[in-house]
Amino acid sequence: MTRIAASTPHRVRLILNGRERVGRAESRMLLSDFIRHELGATGTHLGCEHGVCGACTVRVDGVASRSCLMLAVQAEGRRIDTVEGLCDGDGLGDLQAAFKRHHALQCGFCTAGILNSCAEFLEQTPEPSERDVRDMLSGHLCRCTGYTGIVAAVLEVAAERRGSQPETPHV
Amino acid sequence: MKPAAFDYARPESRKEVLKLLAEAGSDARVLAGGQSLMAVLNMRLAEPSLVIDIGNVADLRYIEIRDDRLCIGANTRQAELVAWPELAERVPLLAQVMPWVGHFQTRNRGTVCGSVAHADPSAELPLCLAVLGGEIVLERRHWRRGRRVVPAGEFFQGLLTTARAPDELITGVRFPLARSDHHYRFTEVAMRHGDFALVALAADIGPDDILLGAGGVADRPVVRRMPRDADLDTELNTFAWSLGAEDDGHASAAYRRQLVRELGYKLLTEAQP
């Protein structure tokens, strides 16, 4: 049984975007704060800190999850993927590039979380309908875009990856 | 918005969990998927001295049929239930409800039993358990009376309040399997899909009786039995008023009563599949 006393820093080792990283976390430290403050990967943003807004969404062993609703010590040994891992070398990945093309972000605060959700969603649902995309986006709040550009970007990437034309989204 | 300090334990067996709970009692909280508890900790609505993470207890992770019940373990994630291939056939009400339970990002980690343990009055899973007449299995460390099974109707006692004693662990829940001559229906209105329900309604429509349950209005899921040949308008109006709806920042009491009447009528009169 693992036991960690309160207020005692504990060594946490995980795989962040394919690289092994080690940091120290008290039992109460959230995974989101650990990623940002201990590991310095500040692409992950924190909005509401109670699981509603979706900004802090990362992938835990491939699965989109709120990093504010998980303790850093729970991530021991797990694979954590953040927005930094979506890049294609030094350039943008296809999903990120489509977001840029479709003005699917303005201030960008919510975008990292949305991209991580989209990344898992497109693996699970390679041929999504607009309704599927909107349903997936219900787990995120974006106050700038009105979501239309995001929906268009996701549908376009899905179509590109299949080698076909995207359906025209309804505004 | 950060939790207060707590001791953290990650036991490997059910026995260890029960021992920790017996020692710490109401000072401890059980962490499974964390989709309710972590928010509560972040907002410091609870400041337990010990958090017991049951994520490594392998024998609490199961979906199995025993007799006429679908049994789901405390570690089974909502996403695992969604992916279970027999769900629509065995418990069609759950198959209808799962897409309404949070968002896919929270279903990925959230557990079925965790939602039941949290007992939010607007949560869909407690409502289903109440309408179907399911049960909650509770265990604690005791040489003889270590285990009890509580019907859903007795388990939910109010806002975030259940019949669970502080030293008890919810090890599983049991949903009755669908009966061939019954129909099951669910509907909900929320501010956005996956948000807390303003009103959620679930129905078990049998040959003689209808069991209609409402979530999001009273302080717990409430179920009313009505005969199939009853005057629906009167029944639904009586039910709507019986729930003691109150005004809050999202909806007025009158709007919630109207939702119960309108959604209820739609739910119970739409053509059966």
Side-chain angles (χ1 to χ4, degrees):
Chain A
M1 173 163 50
T2 305
R3 286 204 78 148
I4 300 168
S7 310
T8 312
H10 182 81
R11 185 172 175 274
V12 175
R13 183 190 55 89
L14 49 75
I15 312 292
L16 182 70
N17 298 318
R19 280 182 54 208
E20 185 174 298
R21 301 288 304 272
V22 179
R24 293 175 77 74
E26 286 182 26
S27 53
R28 65 166 166 167
M29 183 178 246
L30 302 174
L31 176 61
S32 46
D33 287 332
F34 182 76
I35 292 169
R36 288 177 56 85
H37 302 154
E38 277 293 306
L39 305 183
T42 53
T44 300
H45 295 166
L46 274 166
C48 70
E49 292 193 307
H50 59 277
V52 173
C53 77
C56 69
T57 303
V58 301
R59 297 179 74 183
V60 179
D61 289 336
V63 168
S65 311
R66 310 291 202 222
S67 61
C68 76
L69 294 185
M70 196 170 157
L71 298 170
V73 292
Q74 291 182 288
E76 170 69 35
R78 298 190 182 278
R79 196 176 86 236
I80 307 293
D81 293 296
T82 63
V83 68
E84 288 92 341
L86 289 174
C87 294
D88 182 9
D90 287 335
L92 297 177
D94 60 349
L95 200 53
Q96 293 165 307
F99 267 55
K100 187 178 173 192
R101 247 188 337 270
H102 286 276
H103 305 288
L105 67 155
Q106 183 179 304
C107 82
F109 194 85
C110 66
T111 311
I114 293 179
L115 285 167
N116 283 312
S117 278
C118 291
E120 190 208 343
F121 171 74
L122 286 174
E123 286 172 15
Q124 304 290 338
T125 320
E127 294 187 43
S129 65
E130 181 185 343
R131 193 192 162 92
D132 294 335
V133 176
R134 289 189 181 273
D135 184 61
M136 177 268 298
L137 285 174
S138 73
H140 291 276
L141 293 177
C142 171
R143 304 282 81 154
C144 303
T145 62
Y147 304 97
T148 305
I150 303 175
V151 173
V154 175
L155 289 174
E156 186 180 274
V157 171
E160 271 174 12
R161 290 183 185 178
R162 296 196 307 271
S164 63
Q165 289 296 311
E167 71 172 285
T168 311
H170 300 88
V171 173
Chain B
M1 296 300 287
K2 315 285 180 194
F6 52 75
D7 291 337
Y8 171 86
R10 188 165 54 218
E12 304 292 326
S13 72
R14 184 188 306 218
K15 206 173 153 191
E16 286 176 334
V17 178
L18 299 182
K19 182 166 182 281
L20 288 167
L21 274 173
E23 287 160 6
S26 55
D27 289 336
R29 286 295 177 107
V30 173
L31 173 63
Q35 302 303 290
S36 302
L37 180 65
M38 286 307 304
V40 165
L41 295 182
N42 286 357
M43 292 189 274
R44 299 204 182 189
L45 296 173
E47 297 187 15
S49 60
L50 173 67
V51 169
I52 306 170
D53 179 358
I54 61 169
N56 276 11
V57 183
D59 71 345
L60 291 176
R61 193 167 202 161
Y62 56 83
I63 299 175
E64 15 177 270
I65 290 171
R66 283 182 222 142
D67 302 325
D68 57 349
R69 297 271 192 275
L70 173 67
C71 303
I72 301 171
N75 253 340
T76 302
R77 300 197 191 282
Q78 292 157 8
E80 291 173 307
L81 187 62
V82 173
W84 188 59
E86 293 175 46
L87 191 62
E89 184 200 336
R90 299 297 198 150
V91 192
L93 184 63
L94 276 183
Q96 291 178 52
V97 159
M98 289 315 292
W100 298 85
V101 179
H103 312 282
F104 99 93
Q105 300 89 340
T106 60
R107 292 192 293 269
N108 277 343
R109 285 195 67 75
T111 61
V112 174
C113 290
S115 173
V116 171
H118 187 57
D120 188 296
S122 66
E124 294 83 3
L125 287 167
L127 173 63
C128 287
L129 207 56
V131 168
L132 296 177
E135 298 151 339
I136 294 93
V137 184
L138 295 159
E139 289 186 32
R140 63 175 170 153
R141 193 176 68 162
H142 192 280
W143 64 283
R144 237 176 61 217
R145 298 188 307 278
R147 187 166 186 269
R148 62 183 181 127
V149 178
V150 181
E154 295 167 27
F155 183 76
F156 299 108
Q157 301 192 335
L159 178 75
L160 312 186
T161 307
T162 69
R164 185 184 78 85
D167 63 344
E168 283 180 316
L169 173 72
I170 296 175
T171 54
V173 291
R174 301 169 174 174
F175 289 91
L177 300 181
R179 290 193 272 175
S180 57
D181 54 351
H182 285 231
H183 300 290
Y184 301 90
R185 312 290 300 239
F186 178 83
T187 190
E188 171 177 317
V189 166
M191 298 300 281
R192 59 174 175 153
H193 189 80
D195 211 333
F196 294 104
L198 294 180
V199 170
L201 292 180
D204 172 352
I205 304 167
D208 304 316
D209 288 328
I210 295 169
L211 285 173
L212 180 66
V217 190
D219 65 353
R220 71 196 81 177
V222 178
V223 182
R224 181 181 174 88
R225 181 183 292 274
M226 42 185 88
R228 278 235 24 194
D229 54 5
D231 174 42
L232 208 49
D233 284 333
T234 311
E235 287 285 342
L236 287 169
N237 190 44
T238 310
F239 185 44
W241 280 97
S242 75
L243 296 169
E246 288 181 22
D247 297 331
D248 65 24
H250 297 296
S252 66
Y255 180 56
R256 285 200 161 91
R257 283 192 294 272
Q258 185 66 0
L259 282 177
V260 172
R261 288 187 289 256
E262 292 291 329
L263 291 177
Y265 193 82
K266 232 175 115 181
L267 195 71
L268 299 177
T269 56
E270 268 177 1
Q272 302 300 335

PDB file of all heavy atoms in Angstrom, chain B residues 116-139:
ATOM      1  N   VAL B 116     -23.232   7.439  -7.646  1.00  0.00           N
ATOM      2  CA  VAL B 116     -24.227   6.994  -6.668  1.00  0.00           C
ATOM      3  C   VAL B 116     -23.816   7.447  -5.263  1.00  0.00           C
ATOM      4  O   VAL B 116     -24.633   7.939  -4.483  1.00  0.00           O
ATOM      5  CB  VAL B 116     -24.385   5.456  -6.737  1.00  0.00           C
ATOM      6  CG1 VAL B 116     -25.240   4.941  -5.586  1.00  0.00           C
ATOM      7  CG2 VAL B 116     -24.987   5.052  -8.083  1.00  0.00           C
ATOM      8  N   ALA B 117     -22.530   7.329  -4.948  1.00  0.00           N
ATOM      9  CA  ALA B 117     -22.040   7.703  -3.619  1.00  0.00           C
ATOM     10  C   ALA B 117     -22.184   9.202  -3.367  1.00  0.00           C
ATOM     11  O   ALA B 117     -22.510   9.632  -2.260  1.00  0.00           O
ATOM     12  CB  ALA B 117     -20.571   7.299  -3.475  1.00  0.00           C
ATOM     13  N   HIS B 118     -21.951   9.995  -4.417  1.00  0.00           N
ATOM     14  CA  HIS B 118     -22.004  11.451  -4.282  1.00  0.00           C
ATOM     15  C   HIS B 118     -23.447  11.917  -4.050  1.00  0.00           C
ATOM     16  O   HIS B 118     -23.680  12.880  -3.327  1.00  0.00           O
ATOM     17  CB  HIS B 118     -21.415  12.092  -5.544  1.00  0.00           C
ATOM     18  CG  HIS B 118     -21.254  13.566  -5.459  1.00  0.00           C
ATOM     19  ND1 HIS B 118     -20.521  14.184  -4.473  1.00  0.00           N
ATOM     20  CD2 HIS B 118     -21.744  14.568  -6.239  1.00  0.00           C
ATOM     21  CE1 HIS B 118     -20.558  15.495  -4.657  1.00  0.00           C
ATOM     22  NE2 HIS B 118     -21.301  15.756  -5.711  1.00  0.00           N
ATOM     23  N   ALA B 119     -24.409  11.228  -4.696  1.00  0.00           N
ATOM     24  CA  ALA B 119     -25.842  11.497  -4.489  1.00  0.00           C
ATOM     25  C   ALA B 119     -26.230  12.932  -4.780  1.00  0.00           C
ATOM     26  O   ALA B 119     -26.959  13.562  -4.013  1.00  0.00           O
ATOM     27  CB  ALA B 119     -26.272  11.095  -3.077  1.00  0.00           C
ATOM     28  N   ASP B 120     -25.764  13.455  -5.902  1.00  0.00           N
ATOM     29  CA  ASP B 120     -26.256  14.754  -6.340  1.00  0.00           C
ATOM     30  C   ASP B 120     -27.718  14.567  -6.773  1.00  0.00           C
ATOM     31  O   ASP B 120     -28.019  13.645  -7.528  1.00  0.00           O
ATOM     32  CB  ASP B 120     -25.408  15.256  -7.515  1.00  0.00           C
ATOM     33  CG  ASP B 120     -25.756  16.686  -7.894  1.00  0.00           C
ATOM     34  OD1 ASP B 120     -26.899  16.943  -8.336  1.00  0.00           O
ATOM     35  OD2 ASP B 120     -24.879  17.548  -7.737  1.00  0.00           O
ATOM     36  N   PRO B 121     -28.610  15.425  -6.307  1.00  0.00           N
ATOM     37  CA  PRO B 121     -30.033  15.207  -6.636  1.00  0.00           C
ATOM     38  C   PRO B 121     -30.342  15.288  -8.131  1.00  0.00           C
ATOM     39  O   PRO B 121     -31.384  14.789  -8.571  1.00  0.00           O
ATOM     40  CB  PRO B 121     -30.770  16.312  -5.877  1.00  0.00           C
ATOM     41  CG  PRO B 121     -29.763  17.145  -5.203  1.00  0.00           C
ATOM     42  CD  PRO B 121     -28.404  16.562  -5.415  1.00  0.00           C
ATOM     43  N   SER B 122     -29.467  15.914  -8.918  1.00  0.00           N
ATOM     44  CA  SER B 122     -29.742  16.012 -10.350  1.00  0.00           C
ATOM     45  C   SER B 122     -29.010  14.943 -11.156  1.00  0.00           C
ATOM     46  O   SER B 122     -29.101  14.910 -12.378  1.00  0.00           O
ATOM     47  CB  SER B 122     -29.352  17.400 -10.864  1.00  0.00           C
ATOM     48  OG  SER B 122     -27.961  17.565 -10.767  1.00  0.00           O
ATOM     49  N   ALA B 123     -28.289  14.051 -10.489  1.00  0.00           N
ATOM     50  CA  ALA B 123     -27.493  13.044 -11.206  1.00  0.00           C
ATOM     51  C   ALA B 123     -28.393  11.955 -11.782  1.00  0.00           C
ATOM     52  O   ALA B 123     -29.375  11.546 -11.166  1.00  0.00           O
ATOM     53  CB  ALA B 123     -26.452  12.438 -10.273  1.00  0.00           C
ATOM     54  N   GLU B 124     -28.018  11.481 -12.966  1.00  0.00           N
ATOM     55  CA  GLU B 124     -28.856  10.534 -13.690  1.00  0.00           C
ATOM     56  C   GLU B 124     -28.747   9.113 -13.137  1.00  0.00           C
ATOM     57  O   GLU B 124     -29.734   8.373 -13.116  1.00  0.00           O
ATOM     58  CB  GLU B 124     -28.470  10.510 -15.182  1.00  0.00           C
ATOM     59  CG  GLU B 124     -28.747  11.803 -15.941  1.00  0.00           C
ATOM     60  CD  GLU B 124     -27.649  12.852 -15.793  1.00  0.00           C
ATOM     61  OE1 GLU B 124     -26.629  12.557 -15.136  1.00  0.00           O
ATOM     62  OE2 GLU B 124     -27.802  13.964 -16.326  1.00  0.00           O
ATOM     63  N   LEU B 125     -27.549   8.692 -12.726  1.00  0.00           N
ATOM     64  CA  LEU B 125     -27.385   7.295 -12.307  1.00  0.00           C
ATOM     65  C   LEU B 125     -28.168   6.969 -11.029  1.00  0.00           C
ATOM     66  O   LEU B 125     -28.823   5.923 -10.971  1.00  0.00           O
ATOM     67  CB  LEU B 125     -25.896   6.953 -12.181  1.00  0.00           C
ATOM     68  CG  LEU B 125     -25.192   6.818 -13.537  1.00  0.00           C
ATOM     69  CD1 LEU B 125     -23.673   6.797 -13.375  1.00  0.00           C
ATOM     70  CD2 LEU B 125     -25.655   5.566 -14.275  1.00  0.00           C
ATOM     71  N   PRO B 126     -28.151   7.842 -10.007  1.00  0.00           N
ATOM     72  CA  PRO B 126     -29.019   7.573  -8.850  1.00  0.00           C
ATOM     73  C   PRO B 126     -30.494   7.504  -9.239  1.00  0.00           C
ATOM     74  O   PRO B 126     -31.238   6.657  -8.724  1.00  0.00           O
ATOM     75  CB  PRO B 126     -28.750   8.769  -7.927  1.00  0.00           C
ATOM     76  CG  PRO B 126     -27.376   9.210  -8.272  1.00  0.00           C
ATOM     77  CD  PRO B 126     -27.260   8.989  -9.761  1.00  0.00           C
ATOM     78  N   LEU B 127     -30.906   8.350 -10.177  1.00  0.00           N
ATOM     79  CA  LEU B 127     -32.300   8.336 -10.637  1.00  0.00           C
ATOM     80  C   LEU B 127     -32.656   6.976 -11.257  1.00  0.00           C
ATOM     81  O   LEU B 127     -33.701   6.392 -10.951  1.00  0.00           O
ATOM     82  CB  LEU B 127     -32.522   9.475 -11.639  1.00  0.00           C
ATOM     83  CG  LEU B 127     -33.871   9.511 -12.354  1.00  0.00           C
ATOM     84  CD1 LEU B 127     -35.014   9.710 -11.369  1.00  0.00           C
ATOM     85  CD2 LEU B 127     -33.889  10.622 -13.406  1.00  0.00           C
ATOM     86  N   CYS B 128     -31.783   6.478 -12.123  1.00  0.00           N
ATOM     87  CA  CYS B 128     -32.027   5.166 -12.754  1.00  0.00           C
ATOM     88  C   CYS B 128     -32.107   4.069 -11.714  1.00  0.00           C
ATOM     89  O   CYS B 128     -32.966   3.189 -11.785  1.00  0.00           O
ATOM     90  CB  CYS B 128     -30.896   4.818 -13.712  1.00  0.00           C
ATOM     91  SG  CYS B 128     -30.952   5.785 -15.180  1.00  0.00           S
ATOM     92  N   LEU B 129     -31.189   4.119 -10.756  1.00  0.00           N
ATOM     93  CA  LEU B 129     -31.159   3.096  -9.711  1.00  0.00           C
ATOM     94  C   LEU B 129     -32.472   3.123  -8.929  1.00  0.00           C
ATOM     95  O   LEU B 129     -33.041   2.072  -8.601  1.00  0.00           O
ATOM     96  CB  LEU B 129     -29.957   3.373  -8.787  1.00  0.00           C
ATOM     97  CG  LEU B 129     -29.340   2.201  -8.049  1.00  0.00           C
ATOM     98  CD1 LEU B 129     -28.913   1.096  -8.984  1.00  0.00           C
ATOM     99  CD2 LEU B 129     -28.143   2.672  -7.221  1.00  0.00           C
ATOM    100  N   ALA B 130     -32.979   4.333  -8.663  1.00  0.00           N
ATOM    101  CA  ALA B 130     -34.228   4.467  -7.898  1.00  0.00           C
ATOM    102  C   ALA B 130     -35.425   3.964  -8.707  1.00  0.00           C
ATOM    103  O   ALA B 130     -36.270   3.243  -8.186  1.00  0.00           O
ATOM    104  CB  ALA B 130     -34.420   5.920  -7.480  1.00  0.00           C
ATOM    105  N   VAL B 131     -35.481   4.335  -9.993  1.00  0.00           N
ATOM    106  CA  VAL B 131     -36.635   3.943 -10.814  1.00  0.00           C
ATOM    107  C   VAL B 131     -36.666   2.429 -11.030  1.00  0.00           C
ATOM    108  O   VAL B 131     -37.712   1.796 -10.973  1.00  0.00           O
ATOM    109  CB  VAL B 131     -36.612   4.688 -12.162  1.00  0.00           C
ATOM    110  CG1 VAL B 131     -37.611   4.087 -13.137  1.00  0.00           C
ATOM    111  CG2 VAL B 131     -36.910   6.159 -11.943  1.00  0.00           C
ATOM    112  N   LEU B 132     -35.507   1.849 -11.275  1.00  0.00           N
ATOM    113  CA  LEU B 132     -35.457   0.410 -11.559  1.00  0.00           C
ATOM    114  C   LEU B 132     -35.529  -0.434 -10.287  1.00  0.00           C
ATOM    115  O   LEU B 132     -35.687  -1.646 -10.349  1.00  0.00           O
ATOM    116  CB  LEU B 132     -34.177   0.070 -12.337  1.00  0.00           C
ATOM    117  CG  LEU B 132     -34.060   0.699 -13.730  1.00  0.00           C
ATOM    118  CD1 LEU B 132     -32.718   0.348 -14.361  1.00  0.00           C
ATOM    119  CD2 LEU B 132     -35.190   0.242 -14.636  1.00  0.00           C
ATOM    120  N   GLY B 133     -35.410   0.206  -9.124  1.00  0.00           N
ATOM    121  CA  GLY B 133     -35.416  -0.560  -7.881  1.00  0.00           C
ATOM    122  C   GLY B 133     -34.120  -1.317  -7.675  1.00  0.00           C
ATOM    123  O   GLY B 133     -34.115  -2.478  -7.271  1.00  0.00           O
ATOM    124  N   GLY B 134     -33.011  -0.653  -7.944  1.00  0.00           N
ATOM    125  CA  GLY B 134     -31.695  -1.277  -7.772  1.00  0.00           C
ATOM    126  C   GLY B 134     -31.227  -1.234  -6.329  1.00  0.00           C
ATOM    127  O   GLY B 134     -31.947  -0.781  -5.437  1.00  0.00           O
ATOM    128  N   GLU B 135     -30.029  -1.736  -6.135  1.00  0.00           N
ATOM    129  CA  GLU B 135     -29.496  -1.858  -4.773  1.00  0.00           C
ATOM    130  C   GLU B 135     -28.047  -1.395  -4.721  1.00  0.00           C
ATOM    131  O   GLU B 135     -27.337  -1.426  -5.724  1.00  0.00           O
ATOM    132  CB  GLU B 135     -29.531  -3.322  -4.320  1.00  0.00           C
ATOM    133  CG  GLU B 135     -30.914  -3.897  -4.249  1.00  0.00           C
ATOM    134  CD  GLU B 135     -30.919  -5.395  -4.496  1.00  0.00           C
ATOM    135  OE1 GLU B 135     -29.953  -5.921  -5.093  1.00  0.00           O
ATOM    136  OE2 GLU B 135     -31.882  -6.040  -4.096  1.00  0.00           O
ATOM    137  N   ILE B 136     -27.630  -1.019  -3.513  1.00  0.00           N
ATOM    138  CA  ILE B 136     -26.256  -0.598  -3.262  1.00  0.00           C
ATOM    139  C   ILE B 136     -25.661  -1.596  -2.267  1.00  0.00           C
ATOM    140  O   ILE B 136     -26.282  -1.910  -1.250  1.00  0.00           O
ATOM    141  CB  ILE B 136     -26.223   0.833  -2.672  1.00  0.00           C
ATOM    142  CG1 ILE B 136     -26.738   1.832  -3.715  1.00  0.00           C
ATOM    143  CG2 ILE B 136     -24.812   1.209  -2.259  1.00  0.00           C
ATOM    144  CD1 ILE B 136     -28.189   2.139  -3.635  1.00  0.00           C
ATOM    145  N   VAL B 137     -24.471  -2.097  -2.582  1.00  0.00           N
ATOM    146  CA  VAL B 137     -23.811  -3.058  -1.695  1.00  0.00           C
ATOM    147  C   VAL B 137     -22.770  -2.304  -0.867  1.00  0.00           C
ATOM    148  O   VAL B 137     -21.882  -1.642  -1.411  1.00  0.00           O
ATOM    149  CB  VAL B 137     -23.120  -4.178  -2.499  1.00  0.00           C
ATOM    150  CG1 VAL B 137     -22.522  -5.212  -1.550  1.00  0.00           C
ATOM    151  CG2 VAL B 137     -24.108  -4.835  -3.448  1.00  0.00           C
ATOM    152  N   LEU B 138     -22.901  -2.394   0.444  1.00  0.00           N
ATOM    153  CA  LEU B 138     -21.996  -1.685   1.360  1.00  0.00           C
ATOM    154  C   LEU B 138     -21.226  -2.707   2.190  1.00  0.00           C
ATOM    155  O   LEU B 138     -21.809  -3.690   2.661  1.00  0.00           O
ATOM    156  CB  LEU B 138     -22.808  -0.788   2.299  1.00  0.00           C
ATOM    157  CG  LEU B 138     -23.568   0.362   1.641  1.00  0.00           C
ATOM    158  CD1 LEU B 138     -24.693   0.842   2.534  1.00  0.00           C
ATOM    159  CD2 LEU B 138     -22.615   1.504   1.335  1.00  0.00           C
ATOM    160  N   GLU B 139     -19.923  -2.455   2.358  1.00  0.00           N
ATOM    161  CA  GLU B 139     -19.133  -3.358   3.188  1.00  0.00           C
ATOM    162  C   GLU B 139     -18.350  -2.557   4.207  1.00  0.00           C
ATOM    163  O   GLU B 139     -17.938  -1.431   3.944  1.00  0.00           O
ATOM    164  CB  GLU B 139     -18.166  -4.183   2.319  1.00  0.00           C
ATOM    165  CG  GLU B 139     -18.888  -5.218   1.481  1.00  0.00           C
ATOM    166  CD  GLU B 139     -17.927  -6.133   0.732  1.00  0.00           C
ATOM    167  OE1 GLU B 139     -16.828  -6.409   1.239  1.00  0.00           O
ATOM    168  OE2 GLU B 139     -18.302  -6.554  -0.377  1.00  0.00           O
TER     169      GLU B 139
END
